[in-house]
Amino acid sequence: MKRILILEISGSGHHPSYLRRILESGILDAAHVIVAGPSSLSAHSELRDLRSQYEFHELAIDPNQQARLADFSAIGLVRREFVLRAIFERAWRRACSSGQIDLVVLPLVDGCANAIALRGAPFGGTPWIAVSMRAQFHLRKMGVTVPRTISRLAREILFRRLLQRESLKALLTIDPTLAEYATRQRASEFAKVCLLPDTCNTYTLIEKNVARKQLDIPIPAKLILAYGHLTARKGIFNLIRAMTREECPRHVHLLLAGSQDEDVKKFLAGPVAAHLRAEGRLHLLPGFVPEESVPALLSAADALWVGYIGFYTMSNILVLAARHHLQVIPSNQGVIGYLSSRHNLGLMVNPLSEDSVVDALREVADPPPSRPEQIARARAAFASHTDATFHQVMKQAIRSAVPDLISDR
């Protein structure tokens, strides 16, 4: 039986759900699968039902490497790539000790893409495929609003060098602008790039009033939901400030659901958030949100907040909103803004401008007749962002590396 090694450095955020979708694409039936990752990955609820179907190896990371992985300074980010490459090489060698590895899968290559571009893949001649989520060198060329950076040309050269690595058989991207950019290029290596539509879990929603009662949200409120790992980059500071403004309707409420970093915790303990809490308009559901709680969040909400600051890549919150018939309040920057403008989703905000945010909140409070049309456009725009499409694209990528490994059955 063929042997596939999947390498994943993180056990939190979107990483477990992406790994689950890869495992469900058909490889568990077609090959012996080894997953190498942190212990938190194996224990995650997303993988609980699949745990007996693959072999798990905990990544070996020494204290020095652990410190380097936690260094996000400019120089630290460069060193981090080579550390991660070395960790993956060690995991590959361990897996090879019990038999040949026929394919390596990297569910997120961006953390070591430049190191691999410079030094080659750390898997010998083993074919490999990867998913890219964070490439940004192409964005301005595609008309996406992002700041100019001095590193853009270097990153473009490194990306091309990555694609030129012979053992790389397919590079999947969740960013439609990168897939489109690749189709415009004449160089043959760009044929390896393929769109992997960003997807999300599909939930069965419940009646809005029932969900509101479960979450202790007033029935008449217009509820904005900010969901996921909450940081300052998610733009919630200006969102909360805008909600305290006189011009913001008093029946607009905010639900923050998800883990909070220290900056968010500090802000929520401050006077601005306290003012909103005193009015009963700020609702908190801190910590990891289990899957069984998500339907109530989506059912209770009127709009999903995606007014992120300095976040220029794809976000599956757009997909989550579209798949569940919710209005979205997106940033006017990055891929989020590009797609929102392209599909005329409405309510785009400058997340740094309280005036802009207030305008969007007023429209949520008193939606125009076009709102159902906007929701329908969003649903149509992301109609292909399904698990079925994800699985099919992943199968095709695996076949490009190991022909006939996975059938269409």
Side-chain angles (χ1 to χ4, degrees):
M1 179 176 274
K2 300 288 188 181
R3 301 173 81 236
I4 296 177
L5 173 63
I6 303 176
L7 298 168
E8 175 57 79
I9 192 61
S10 176
S12 61
H14 63 269
H15 297 263
S17 63
Y18 266 87
L19 175 57
R20 176 177 59 77
R21 288 184 174 90
I22 292 172
L23 292 172
E24 291 176 340
S25 66
I27 62 175
L28 289 173
D29 296 328
H32 177 81
V33 176
I34 301 168
V35 174
S39 58
S40 57
L41 180 66
S42 177
H44 200 281
S45 59
E46 283 272 11
L47 302 172
R48 186 179 298 134
D49 295 340
L50 300 173
R51 180 61 187 87
S52 63
Q53 300 179 51
Y54 60 86
E55 180 181 347
F56 182 75
H57 292 180
E58 184 171 356
L59 287 177
I61 305 175
D62 62 44
N64 182 57
Q65 289 176 326
Q66 195 67 60
R68 291 288 175 87
L69 289 176
D71 182 1
F72 291 95
S73 65
I75 295 177
L77 286 172
V78 175
R79 282 196 297 245
R80 190 178 191 277
E81 290 216 13
F82 290 94
V83 168
L84 185 55
R85 181 185 178 279
I87 292 170
F88 284 167
E89 180 176 14
R90 187 183 302 127
W92 172 74
R93 291 188 182 281
R94 176 188 174 186
C96 287
S97 67
S98 56
Q100 176 180 311
I101 295 298
D102 298 287
L103 175 67
V104 175
V105 180
L106 295 185
L108 181 63
V109 71
D110 303 275
C112 57
N114 295 322
I116 292 176
L118 289 169
R119 295 192 56 187
F123 319 125
T126 304
W128 61 289
I129 64 174
V131 180
S132 174
M133 301 185 187
R134 300 176 187 163
Q136 298 184 36
F137 69 90
H138 64 291
L139 292 177
R140 288 187 67 87
K141 288 185 176 181
M142 295 302 297
V144 180
T145 301
V146 292
R148 293 184 182 276
T149 60
I150 59 174
S151 63
R152 187 204 62 77
L153 180 58
R155 291 184 180 278
E156 181 176 5
I157 292 171
L158 287 169
F159 185 82
R160 290 192 61 174
R161 187 178 174 94
L162 176 70
L163 293 177
Q164 290 164 356
R165 292 296 178 182
E166 186 176 351
S167 57
L168 174 64
K169 302 305 179 182
L171 185 70
L172 309 179
T173 175
I174 65 170
D175 177 3
T177 69
L178 180 57
E180 186 176 344
Y181 174 85
T183 64
R184 299 180 183 182
Q185 308 308 304
R186 294 182 179 179
S188 60
E189 61 265 22
F190 281 96
K192 294 181 179 181
V193 179
C194 180
L195 179 64
L196 180 69
D198 201 4
T199 187
C200 65
N201 293 341
T202 302
Y203 302 97
T204 300
L205 301 188
I206 61 178
E207 203 275 322
K208 184 181 288 288
N209 288 355
V210 173
R212 294 275 176 101
K213 288 178 180 178
Q214 288 182 10
L215 297 167
D216 197 25
I217 307 292
I219 301 300
K222 291 293 185 179
L223 183 65
I224 313 298
L225 171 64
Y227 167 59
H229 180 53
L230 303 176
T231 68
R233 290 183 68 192
K234 294 298 178 71
I236 58 176
F237 295 175
N238 266 5
L239 171 58
I240 291 175
R241 291 190 186 101
M243 288 183 63
T244 65
R245 295 261 297 262
E246 289 287 337
E247 310 95 292
C248 181
R250 299 296 98 180
H251 64 296
V252 172
H253 288 229
L254 172 63
L255 172 59
L256 300 179
S259 58
Q260 305 166 0
D261 73 1
E262 290 305 313
D263 289 337
V264 170
K265 290 177 181 177
K266 183 177 179 180
F267 184 85
L268 293 178
V272 179
H275 176 78
L276 210 58
R277 278 200 306 273
E279 293 184 338
R281 298 169 55 214
L282 177 60
H283 312 271
L284 304 177
L285 190 63
F288 173 74
V289 179
E291 286 294 301
E292 56 268 23
S293 299
V294 178
L297 298 180
L298 299 176
S299 301
D302 293 292
L304 274 174
W305 173 260
V306 203
Y308 301 161
I309 298 172
F311 183 94
Y312 305 116
T313 53
M314 182 65 183
S315 169
N316 76 348
I317 296 296
L318 283 172
V319 184
L320 189 69
R323 295 279 294 278
H324 296 90
H325 309 282
L326 282 171
Q327 180 68 58
V328 63
I329 308 176
S331 168
N332 61 0
Q333 303 171 344
V335 175
I336 292 172
Y338 175 87
L339 293 176
S340 298
S341 176
R342 183 175 186 175
H343 299 297
N344 193 21
L345 303 185
L347 293 189
M348 279 199 300
V349 298
N350 174 354
L352 296 174
S353 165
E354 290 180 27
D355 289 340
S356 176
V357 175
V358 168
D359 287 343
L361 296 177
R362 291 173 69 179
E363 189 166 331
V364 170
D366 185 19
S370 62
R371 180 180 179 274
E373 295 176 8
Q374 290 175 349
I375 293 175
R377 280 195 297 268
R379 187 168 179 82
F382 299 108
S384 66
H385 291 242
T386 63
D387 282 355
T389 306
F390 185 104
H391 294 159
Q392 188 58 38
V393 173
M394 186 60 62
K395 285 180 182 179
Q396 291 172 353
I398 291 172
R399 286 197 202 101
S400 72
V402 186
D404 303 323
L405 178 61
I406 299 181
S407 70
D408 280 318
R409 291 181 302 169

